[in-house]
Amino acid sequence: MQTLSRARTRKRATRKRPWRWVKRLMLVSALACTTLALLSIIFLFGTKNGEELREWAAGTLLTTQHDYWAPYTFLPEEKLNALKQQIRNPEVINSEPDGTTKPEETPTTEQPVTVTLPEKPKELVEIEDIDVTKETYYFKGKIMYIHDPKRVQLVVTNRKDRGDLLDEFVKKTNAIGIVNASGFSDPDGYGKGAKAYGVVIHDGKILQGYNPKSGETALGITYEGKLITGNYTAEQLVNMGVRDAMSFRPQLIVNGKNMFKDKPAKSWGIQPRTAIGQKADGTIVFVVIDGRQPGHSIGASMNDLAELLEEHGVVTAMAMDGGSSSMMLHNGEAITKTSCPYYRGRYLPNAWAVI
């Protein structure tokens, strides 16, 4: 027979046991998190792979609106400055060097590739899937081939308060295919795309000039359907017969030269990408790579983009604005998956369209 005091003692002990398990679980969790944190620090700061990972992270951050986070990758200052320099001042080659080389520079030895326009294309537009797996990341996207380059035009918003969505451009122009083009002011990812950065030429008229030495590089298409890229002024482009032009960076391929061959990819990081190029037969190529979407597509480096275009026979190409602006539509429907929270994409100042 147990006394009342013993019964009360056992009840109290029973009540305390669950709290002991909670305390033990919290202690084990804290030890596990501490161990994981220490191992991560050792990996990131004590191994070559960890340093490379921090370089990738810094390069990715430097190409977004959150570049102020890049110093928190704790890279040496000289490496961080080198990454910034590669992004802000990439190497530029004029695709048409005669009389258009930059002042006080020796003309490039690269010879322009002769573009022979296709005579009778079977179809105006063809679409190809992109699905690439690298060692540590993967990406998906679309390639659009436009066999009549004269059908590719720059469409420009006429709004003052904001830019247009890609599907709004399509409704206005009946475009068969379309991708984003120029960059624009985008503070904290809330820009409305009303005004493009750099040069804008539409239907042979200069809507906006720019300084070719500012870091922006021009890309234009002539009335004959030839793609031109380089450090040209707006006036030079018009005098060269350019009908439509915009600017961004970097160049990917110029006159058959891969601008990123044997160069480190880390400076531009891994992001959603858009590019426009031209093959030797005159075919215009649009490329959009999805990104920032684990399970679907992480994104691509500039090296990946240049290699992809080179493998598909492109002889001249340049990157357009990327990130959440990257998107491609065909026959009014999105065929890539935007990283923008809004499924219709971003407001844009202009776009390259197949009219």
Side-chain angles (χ1 to χ4, degrees):
M1 182 176 178
Q2 66 180 1
T3 64
L4 182 60
S5 60
R6 287 181 180 176
R8 287 177 178 174
T9 301
R10 287 183 179 179
K11 287 182 180 179
R12 288 172 185 170
T14 303
R15 290 172 186 170
K16 289 181 180 180
R17 283 173 189 165
W19 289 108
R20 290 177 184 173
W21 283 107
V22 171
K23 290 178 181 179
R24 288 178 183 174
L25 181 61
M26 291 176 65
L27 179 61
V28 170
S29 298
L31 288 173
C33 290
T34 302
T35 302
L36 183 61
L38 288 172
L39 291 174
S40 298
I41 291 171
I42 292 170
F43 171 75
L44 290 172
F45 295 91
T47 67
K48 184 178 179 179
N49 288 339
E51 185 176 3
E52 288 185 354
L53 183 60
R54 287 188 289 126
E55 287 185 54
W56 275 109
T60 300
L61 288 167
L62 287 169
T63 56
T64 69
Q65 295 296 328
H66 306 290
D67 55 349
Y68 49 83
W69 286 107
Y72 293 100
T73 58
F74 300 104
L75 284 178
E77 187 174 354
E78 62 273 15
K79 282 196 173 184
L80 194 60
N81 289 335
L83 292 175
K84 291 178 181 178
Q85 182 67 17
Q86 291 171 41
I87 294 170
R88 294 171 183 172
N89 298 290
E91 180 186 0
V92 177
I93 295 176
N94 289 346
S95 60
E96 298 293 318
D98 295 340
T100 57
T101 51
K102 294 184 288 185
E104 301 179 1
E105 288 191 6
T106 303
T108 176
T109 57
E110 295 292 330
Q111 296 298 316
V113 174
T114 301
V115 174
T116 304
L117 303 183
E119 295 180 359
K120 294 181 180 180
K122 295 180 180 179
E123 295 181 14
L124 176 60
V125 170
E126 291 183 281
I127 307 294
E128 182 179 322
D129 292 331
I130 300 169
D131 192 344
V132 177
T133 300
K134 298 285 185 174
E135 290 183 4
T136 57
Y137 62 98
Y138 49 91
F139 57 87
K140 295 181 180 180
K142 298 286 184 180
I143 298 179
M144 180 180 290
Y145 301 98
I146 303 97
H147 295 294
D148 184 353
K150 295 180 182 179
R151 298 284 294 273
V152 178
Q153 300 177 21
L154 188 73
V155 292
V156 179
T157 185
N158 55 9
R159 298 176 183 270
K160 301 298 182 183
D161 59 328
R162 66 169 177 84
D164 281 304
L165 300 170
L166 284 183
D167 58 14
E168 291 176 326
F169 279 127
V170 170
K171 289 178 182 178
K172 291 178 180 179
T173 63
N174 294 317
I176 298 170
I178 192 167
V179 295
N180 62 293
S182 293
F184 54 92
S185 177
D186 190 24
D188 298 322
Y190 293 99
K192 292 188 176 181
K195 186 176 177 61
Y197 281 148
V199 68
V200 178
I201 299 174
H202 177 60
D203 198 20
K205 297 178 182 178
I206 300 174
L207 303 184
Q208 201 168 291
Y210 83 125
N211 178 7
K213 296 182 180 181
S214 65
E216 295 277 324
T217 304
L219 181 138
I221 297 179
T222 69
Y223 285 96
E224 297 303 314
K226 185 173 183 179
L227 189 147
I228 293 174
T229 177
N231 274 348
Y232 305 109
T233 65
E235 291 74 16
Q236 284 176 319
L237 291 167
V238 170
N239 291 337
M240 294 165 70
V242 167
R243 181 193 61 214
D244 297 300
M246 45 70 67
S247 60
F248 202 66
R249 66 183 184 274
Q251 292 176 314
L252 300 168
I253 303 173
V254 183
N255 299 331
K257 177 184 177 181
N258 183 338
M259 302 293 285
F260 280 84
K261 189 173 183 179
D262 301 324
K263 289 185 178 180
K266 305 178 189 69
S267 59
W268 294 88
I270 298 176
Q271 298 280 9
R273 306 288 185 194
T274 299
I276 180 172
Q278 187 169 45
K279 299 175 68 172
D281 67 357
T283 300
I284 294 289
V285 179
F286 292 167
V287 176
V288 170
I289 304 293
D290 294 339
R292 302 177 183 172
Q293 301 170 72
H296 169 60
S297 179
I298 299 300
S301 69
M302 287 298 180
N303 295 55
D304 294 327
L305 199 54
E307 289 173 8
L308 180 72
L309 288 163
E310 186 178 35
E311 289 170 0
H312 286 76
V314 172
V315 295
T316 299
M318 193 175 84
M320 303 291 98
D321 191 14
S324 57
S325 295
S326 290
M327 193 174 182
M328 180 186 292
L329 271 63
H330 181 226
N331 291 329
E333 298 293 331
I335 59 174
T336 58
K337 189 176 180 181
T338 177
S339 62
C340 176
Y342 186 40
Y343 74 96
R344 292 173 67 190
R346 301 293 304 275
Y347 294 127
L348 305 169
N350 51 46
W352 288 109
V354 185
I355 308 296

